[in-house]
């Protein structure tokens, strides 16, 4: 329990430090939203009124704590470009981004883990046919790793959207109107995000399984008459999962942080598209909140990975007990 509490405390402190850095950096960026909206010929009265409207007339320390307090209470402030609450602006976008990330993660785990274990086990047998298959498979897998998600998205749109007509390219279905249709429309984008990550995880799991199958404890188990599949699931599985969680945490952080270009390819109104448009209009409060969301997701994922490590192997973090 001490280990989990200590990791949670470190995560909170890290997020607090990140929030200070984000706030400070955006204060240093050139440009004044008041001047941009009112023009250089605006009267001092109008300038002061707009600064008061956005809280820009307060000291920086007060602005920072007001911003952080708003995040903690769900009051994210007002968008400079649209003059509506940021929470309202981000709400639907956040649902799209998280839904896409969860669907991608499910595809990654359900496809990569079985393929990685199967190919790792076959690779450990070292017959001539296996070596030929191994070389072909590694070449294909390396290709999928090298191709960017947005390019895969374009290929899927052209082949399955424009040629085969399996879906309408660029047609977004809101989850509020048709939840099933919304999930179906997310599938091509989720596949685009997942394919390179599947290849990455397959390569790692395959290598880990092959390495474990060559260790002494496996040879000892075989000498006692234990079948290969029994060894794989009773002994190798646990060791591979522990090391695979690290790679999976990096993948989770990437997909939950948002796939900006993929959202653009499939016309998804996620946080990625909102981030790009907000940067273009210098809507800094929206950008700051999205950056904090991305940082929070990465920190939360790492915290969950630490807890999962502890659950899988209680010896990890024993020094904190």
């Amino acid at each position: 329990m001490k280990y989990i509490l200590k990791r949670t405390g470190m995560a909170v402190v890290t997020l607090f430090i990140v929030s200070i850095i984000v706030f400070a950096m955006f204060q240093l960026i050139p440009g004044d939203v008041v001047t941009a909206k009112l023009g250089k010929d605006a009267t001092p009265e109008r300038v002061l009124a707009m600064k008061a409207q956005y809280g820009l007339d307060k000291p920086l320390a007060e602005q920072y704590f007001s911003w952080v307090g708003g995040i903690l209470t769900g009051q994210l402030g007002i968008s400079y470009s649209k003059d509506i609450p940021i929470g309202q602006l981000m709400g639907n976008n956040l649902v799209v981004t998280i839904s896409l990330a969860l669907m991608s993660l499910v595809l990654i785990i359900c496809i990569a883990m079985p393929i990685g274990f199967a190919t790792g086990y076959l690779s450990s047998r070292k017959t001539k046919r296996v070596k030929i298959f191994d070389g072909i498979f590694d070449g294909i897998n390396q290709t999928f790793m090298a191709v960017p998600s947005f390019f895969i998205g374009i290929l899927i749109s052209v082949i399955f959207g424009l040629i085969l007509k399996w879906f309408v390219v660029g047609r977004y279905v809101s989850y509020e109107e048709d939840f099933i249709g919304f999930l179906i429309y997310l599938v091509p984008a989720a596949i685009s995000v997942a394919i390179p990550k599947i290849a990455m995880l397959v390569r790692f799991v395959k290598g880990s399984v092959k390495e474990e199958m060559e260790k002494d404890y496996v040879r000892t188990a075989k000498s006692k008459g234990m079948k290969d599949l029994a060894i794989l699931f009773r002994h190798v599985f646990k060791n591979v999962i522990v090391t695979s969680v690290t790679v999976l945490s990096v993948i989770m952080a990437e997909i939950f942080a948002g796939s900006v270009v993929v959202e653009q390819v499939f016309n998804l109104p996620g946080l990625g598209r909102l981030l790009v448009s907000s940067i273009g209009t210098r809507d800094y409060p929206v950008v700051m909140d999205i950056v904090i969301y991305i940082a929070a997701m990465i920190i939360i994922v790492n915290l969950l990975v630490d807890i999962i490590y502890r659950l899988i192997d209680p010896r990890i973090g024993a020094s904190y007990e």
Side-chain angles (χ1 to χ4, degrees):
M1 192 65 184
K2 288 183 180 179
Y3 174 78
I4 295 175
L5 290 175
K6 186 177 181 66
R7 289 297 182 184
T8 303
M10 291 174 62
V12 172
V13 171
T14 302
L15 189 58
F16 174 69
I17 295 172
V18 170
S19 70
I20 294 176
I21 295 172
V22 170
F23 181 82
M25 290 300 296
F26 277 93
Q27 300 306 312
L28 298 175
I29 295 176
D32 183 1
V33 63
V34 175
T35 304
K37 295 193 73 170
L38 298 179
K40 296 182 179 180
D41 298 328
T43 62
E45 291 78 11
R46 292 188 65 192
V47 171
L48 289 175
M50 183 164 283
K51 284 187 175 182
Q53 177 185 347
Y54 292 130
L56 299 176
D57 57 337
K58 299 175 182 178
L60 288 179
E62 188 175 345
Q63 290 184 45
Y64 168 75
F65 286 109
S66 175
W67 173 59
V68 172
I71 292 175
L72 295 176
T73 58
Q75 303 297 321
L76 303 180
I78 302 296
S79 165
Y80 289 165
S81 61
K82 295 180 173 61
D83 286 322
I84 62 175
I86 296 174
Q88 177 183 335
L89 186 64
M90 289 179 59
N92 292 336
N93 300 75
L94 186 60
V95 171
V96 174
T97 295
I98 291 181
S99 300
L100 175 61
L102 287 174
M103 187 177 290
S104 303
L105 183 61
V106 169
L107 289 174
I108 291 166
I109 294 174
C110 292
I111 296 174
M113 297 303 289
I115 292 177
F117 271 93
T119 54
Y121 169 71
L122 288 175
S123 182
S124 66
R125 305 193 67 168
K126 296 182 179 180
T127 64
K128 186 176 181 180
R129 289 184 179 180
V130 166
K131 288 182 179 179
I132 295 173
F133 165 80
D134 215 22
I136 296 172
F137 179 85
D138 286 345
I140 295 173
N141 194 63
Q142 189 72 28
T143 302
F144 281 123
M145 283 181 61
V147 178
S149 294
F150 74 87
F151 184 72
I152 295 174
I154 293 172
L155 289 179
I156 289 175
S157 297
V158 172
I159 296 172
F160 296 100
L162 298 178
I163 298 176
L164 298 179
K165 309 288 185 183
W166 286 12
F167 67 96
V168 180
V169 178
R171 177 176 173 267
Y172 170 70
V173 179
S174 172
Y175 67 92
E176 295 174 328
E177 298 175 4
D178 181 4
F179 185 71
I180 301 300
F182 166 72
L183 292 179
I184 292 173
Y185 187 80
L186 285 183
V187 170
I191 292 173
S192 302
V193 173
I195 285 177
K197 305 297 187 295
I198 289 171
M200 182 189 304
L201 187 57
V202 164
R203 180 180 181 183
F204 184 85
V205 172
K206 177 191 171 190
S208 298
V209 171
K210 182 180 178 181
E211 182 180 347
E212 291 295 322
M213 291 297 291
E214 295 173 351
K215 288 188 175 179
D216 291 338
Y217 75 88
V218 173
R219 284 192 286 268
T220 301
K222 285 182 178 179
S223 66
K224 293 181 179 180
M226 187 177 289
K227 301 293 184 181
D228 284 355
L229 288 179
I231 296 171
L232 190 65
F233 288 106
R234 290 185 187 178
H235 302 292
V236 174
F237 180 79
K238 182 178 178 180
N239 293 333
V240 171
I241 287 296
V242 171
T243 55
S244 298
V245 167
T246 303
V247 178
L248 195 57
S249 69
V250 176
I251 292 172
M252 288 171 62
E254 287 183 11
I255 61 177
F256 275 103
S259 302
V260 178
V261 184
V262 172
E263 289 180 1
Q264 297 285 345
V265 170
F266 290 95
N267 194 34
L268 292 174
L271 286 183
R273 196 165 80 175
L274 179 61
L275 177 62
V276 172
S277 63
S278 298
I279 292 173
T281 57
R282 294 193 175 186
D283 201 344
Y284 294 146
V286 178
V287 178
M288 289 166 62
D289 288 340
I290 294 177
V291 170
I292 284 297
Y293 157 78
I294 293 172
M297 292 308 300
I298 293 172
I299 291 170
I300 290 170
V301 165
N302 287 328
L303 174 62
L304 291 176
V305 167
D306 288 338
I307 294 173
I308 291 171
Y309 267 139
R310 177 67 167 163
L311 294 175
I312 294 175
D313 189 350
R315 294 174 298 177
I316 296 175
S319 59
Y320 293 109
E321 299 294 344

